[in-house]
Amino acid sequence: MSAAFRPKKSYSAYVLGALLLAYILNFVDRQLLAIAAPEVKAELGLSDTQLGLLLGFAFALFYGVAGIPIARLADLSSRRTVVAAGLALWSTMTVLCGMARSFPQLLFARFGVGVGEAAGTPPSHSLISDYFPPERRATALAIYSCGIYFGTGFGFAGGGYVLELFDWRTAFWVAGLAGLPVALLIRLTVREPPPGASESAAPAEPLPFRAVCAALFGSRAFLALTAAGACQALLGYAMLSWGTTYLRRVFELSAGDVGAAFGLAAAASGALGVVTGGALADRLAARDTRWFAWLGAIVSLLAFPFAAAFALAGSFQNALLAFALFYTLNNIYVSSLWTLVQNLARPRARATASAIQLALLNIVGYGLGPLLVGVLNDLFAPAFGAESIRISLLCVSAVGAASAIFFMLCARALPGELPRRTGAQ
């Protein structure tokens, strides 16, 4: 830790908690449309393909396009300010989602949510890397990543509850307004550390954007890791975006019942997986850095049978159990993914590196995953009716299992790259 910046462990934990709260809100706002999809579809007269665009591509495209310049700004200026401003923007646009009266209006609002949320994760990853040294970084990033699962759980459960008591518009308004005070809290209470502070590195000069891209895309480990993450993102976002619709459509259940059960299963199993993965990664990678990637390969293959069982389940209870087991295993890799990105990048390029990978992961995963399921649903519907969604989810499950190939390729490249890159700060 830099002599000029030595925060107490309690304050580092506070910063992690504040960023985690923002990340929870990030996924609450993101998942509301998934639980409200049947109502939104009915009121606005949408097809499943249009719904797939709203659930994934409309968000992911602008998230990916805006993320890189915003992260570049974060690397060159105040990361806490970028996070706070992004949170305020995506919260405001979530409120506007609840005001939409047509497909184009909702599409525009989802664009805005994507732009705002692009300012959240990359600067947060970079801040966490400066508050926590390399030997504790995977665990810290794992705790931050729990925001995915807590936000998903609150979004599904809380959204389903508000949906039944009021309507889908009220759910968006409540979630959006909740983010504004948190944005102010982060801006006023989070200190901005010097880049590289946790590694006792001298303040580094910012790299030109071209040099950052050349270093990342010249790394075989980064390319293989990104391909693995894209396969996993396609599966994960497809499951989260269509999982509740699948359960409501096939088993004919209410939004409240499905939202509460699926949200709790996603929150508990996802958090268990990512925290377990962070602890395992810190311990195993201390012996051999290739464990960061080997772990991802192993759990990707172990998770596939449970993903298939979820899609083919004969009852709601069996589907929920299969999903919980799948989601626990399939999230063990997450902290390793983000730790490798931060370790492969230089301190003044970490937000940009995270944004570049997030852009690729989200355009492929969040952009194509939900859209692919929607297209397949419409394609299979004439022959299979409501059961068509089972086949669609089974198809994307196979894509997730294929990520094991790319994790192994990443592992092969790490010994020659990781020491060289982390040493050249």
Side-chain angles (χ1 to χ4, degrees):
M1 188 73 69
S2 170
F5 184 79
R6 291 185 178 275
K8 293 181 179 179
K9 288 186 177 181
S10 59
Y11 181 72
S12 295
Y14 166 77
V15 171
L16 180 59
L19 296 175
L20 170 61
L21 181 56
Y23 204 31
I24 289 171
L25 291 170
N26 183 306
F27 271 81
V28 167
D29 294 355
R30 218 183 275 197
Q31 297 304 332
L32 277 181
L33 184 58
I35 188 63
E39 287 74 15
V40 174
K41 177 182 178 179
E43 183 174 330
L44 301 184
L46 308 179
S47 68
D48 271 5
T49 299
Q50 286 177 308
L51 203 54
L53 281 169
L54 290 170
L55 286 167
F57 193 75
F59 172 90
L61 178 64
F62 276 74
Y63 186 104
V65 170
I68 295 173
I70 290 174
R72 186 65 177 161
L73 176 65
D75 275 332
L76 300 176
S77 61
S78 171
R79 291 165 287 182
R80 61 150 186 208
T81 300
V82 171
V83 173
L87 175 52
L89 175 59
W90 88 61
S91 298
T92 301
M93 298 306 292
T94 299
V95 172
L96 292 181
C97 285
M99 297 179 178
R101 298 290 173 182
S102 66
F103 174 71
Q105 288 177 4
L106 188 52
L107 189 68
F108 172 78
R110 290 289 285 176
F111 287 160
V113 173
V115 172
E117 292 191 4
T121 301
S124 295
H125 280 175
S126 182
L127 281 169
I128 291 167
S129 293
D130 283 331
Y131 273 98
F132 294 88
E135 63 272 15
R136 293 194 290 131
R137 190 170 292 160
T139 299
L141 287 171
I143 293 171
Y144 173 77
S145 296
C146 285
I148 300 172
Y149 317 107
F150 295 153
T152 296
F154 291 143
F156 284 138
Y161 182 69
V162 174
L163 192 63
E164 289 204 337
L165 285 180
F166 302 98
D167 54 30
W168 67 270
R169 297 183 184 279
T170 303
F172 278 97
W173 296 338
V174 170
L177 292 174
L180 298 178
V182 179
L184 187 62
L185 178 75
I186 289 174
R187 178 60 185 84
L188 296 179
T189 65
V190 172
R191 293 164 57 193
E192 180 73 23
S198 69
E199 292 145 323
S200 301
E205 291 297 319
L207 292 173
F209 181 67
R210 182 179 298 179
V212 174
C213 290
L216 290 176
F217 291 106
S219 164
R220 290 184 299 134
F222 178 82
L223 293 176
L225 185 69
T226 300
C231 291
Q232 283 292 339
L234 189 147
L235 170 59
Y237 285 127
M239 286 288 195
L240 290 181
S241 297
W242 286 99
T244 54
T245 299
Y246 157 62
L247 295 172
R248 293 181 65 185
R249 185 177 292 179
V250 172
F251 300 110
E252 299 179 350
L253 299 168
S254 70
D257 290 340
V258 170
F262 190 81
L264 178 61
S269 59
L272 175 62
V274 76
V275 172
T276 301
L280 280 173
D282 274 337
R283 177 169 295 185
L284 294 173
R287 307 173 189 171
D288 190 325
T289 55
R290 289 175 292 182
W291 270 109
F292 280 126
W294 285 337
L295 196 58
I298 292 169
V299 297
S300 296
L301 294 176
L302 290 177
F304 173 71
F306 299 104
F310 171 67
L312 301 176
S315 69
F316 174 65
Q317 292 77 12
N318 287 341
L320 206 61
L321 176 60
F323 175 80
L325 293 171
F326 152 73
Y327 212 54
T328 299
L329 289 167
N330 207 55
N331 283 287
I332 287 176
Y333 83 94
V334 171
S335 60
S336 295
L337 179 80
W338 298 127
T339 302
L340 279 176
V341 173
Q342 295 300 296
N343 289 352
L344 286 166
R346 294 172 174 80
R348 290 299 292 269
R350 281 175 174 159
T352 303
S354 181
I356 289 172
Q357 190 179 63
L358 273 170
L360 297 171
L361 264 57
N362 277 281
I363 289 172
V364 174
Y366 209 177
L368 296 182
L371 178 59
L372 177 61
V373 173
V375 171
L376 290 175
N377 288 348
D378 287 337
L379 181 65
F380 295 137
F384 299 99
E387 298 287 314
S388 63
I389 195 170
R390 292 182 183 272
I391 304 171
S392 304
L393 292 176
L394 195 58
C395 290
V396 297
S397 298
V399 176
S403 65
I405 298 169
F406 298 107
F407 277 123
M408 293 304 295
L409 291 174
C410 176
R412 289 183 60 184
L414 282 177
E417 293 191 22
L418 197 55
R420 171 170 55 87
R421 291 177 185 273
T422 54
Q425 299 293 345

